[in-house]
Amino acid sequence: RQGLGACGYGGDKGIFGFGYDGSNNVGMTNLVSNSGVVASDVTAVGTVRSDLAACEYGGDKGIFGFGYDDSSYTAVTNLVSNAGVVATDVTGVGTARQYLAACSYGYDKGIFGFGKDPTGSLTGVTNLVSNVGVVATDVTAVGTARRYAAATQYGGDKGIFGYGNDGSNTAMTSLVSNTGVVSSDVTGVGTARARLAACSFN
């Protein structure tokens, strides 16, 4: 499938979820063990959708959020426990959108950002996620609005949104501080591109 989200949970495991299977949006998830083994499909929980994002929060939990649900853009979220169990929908907070990105910051919090909103406009708004998985209202956009960006953690407690499409493919990045503040554009390095992925390593 395509247009799905993924994040870590449990401190050392991962989860893939949702997406488009070529015919329909789906909501199934696949757990990843701490040795990198991907499990078979887990029955869908929550609104089926694609073009969403996911990130860690709370140190050992995850959250899937936003996306396109077959008929409209949505801002619903689904929390993932530290055992990889996906919860039912939490009512959306913030601008419904698709083609966004998300990462953790501050060791135990998360941030969703950028994307395409229901008017068809690209946006740079962000939504912070607390260490108990509560999504905050929109934070005014900083930097160039774009879709198809990727995001990841770096430096242990900071994040970065990078690349994407603002009308054309770009390589610009936007840093996220350890308090969730997004910086203005940083000039791109490397090949401009969109629909990419990102992760941290150490």
Side-chain angles (χ1 to χ4, degrees):
R1 55 202 192 271
Q2 65 180 32
L4 66 165
C7 65
Y9 77 91
D12 62 352
K13 294 172 278 291
I15 183 171
F16 294 98
F18 302 87
Y20 178 74
D21 70 2
S23 300
N24 301 287
N25 285 334
V26 297
M28 85 268 292
T29 55
N30 300 85
L31 300 181
V32 184
S33 76
N34 59 7
S35 58
V37 177
V38 180
S40 55
D41 293 345
V42 176
T43 303
V45 175
T47 298
V48 299
R49 59 200 191 275
S50 59
D51 303 322
L52 70 165
C55 67
E56 300 78 35
Y57 79 91
D60 62 354
K61 293 173 277 291
I63 181 171
F64 290 94
F66 301 85
Y68 183 79
D69 69 2
D70 282 330
S71 62
S72 61
Y73 295 23
T74 182
V76 298
T77 55
N78 300 88
L79 301 181
V80 182
S81 76
N82 58 8
V85 177
V86 179
T88 55
D89 292 344
V90 175
T91 302
V93 175
T95 299
R97 57 201 191 273
Q98 65 178 161
Y99 306 140
L100 69 164
C103 67
S104 65
Y105 76 91
Y107 294 115
D108 63 353
K109 293 172 277 291
I111 182 170
F112 290 95
F114 301 88
K116 181 181 177 184
D117 70 21
T119 70
S121 299
L122 302 183
T123 182
V125 298
T126 55
N127 300 88
L128 301 182
V129 182
S130 77
N131 59 3
V132 293
V134 177
V135 180
T137 55
D138 292 344
V139 176
T140 303
V142 176
T144 299
R146 56 197 189 273
R147 59 183 173 175
Y148 304 139
T152 186
Q153 305 74 240
Y154 79 92
D157 62 350
K158 294 172 279 292
I160 182 171
F161 290 92
Y163 301 84
N165 183 287
D166 65 357
S168 59
N169 289 346
T170 180
M172 73 182 68
T173 54
S174 303
L175 302 181
V176 181
S177 77
N178 60 6
T179 59
V181 176
V182 180
S183 72
S184 54
D185 296 340
V186 177
T187 302
V189 176
T191 300
R193 57 202 193 273
R195 296 182 184 268
L196 69 164
C199 67
S200 61
F201 73 95
N202 53 41

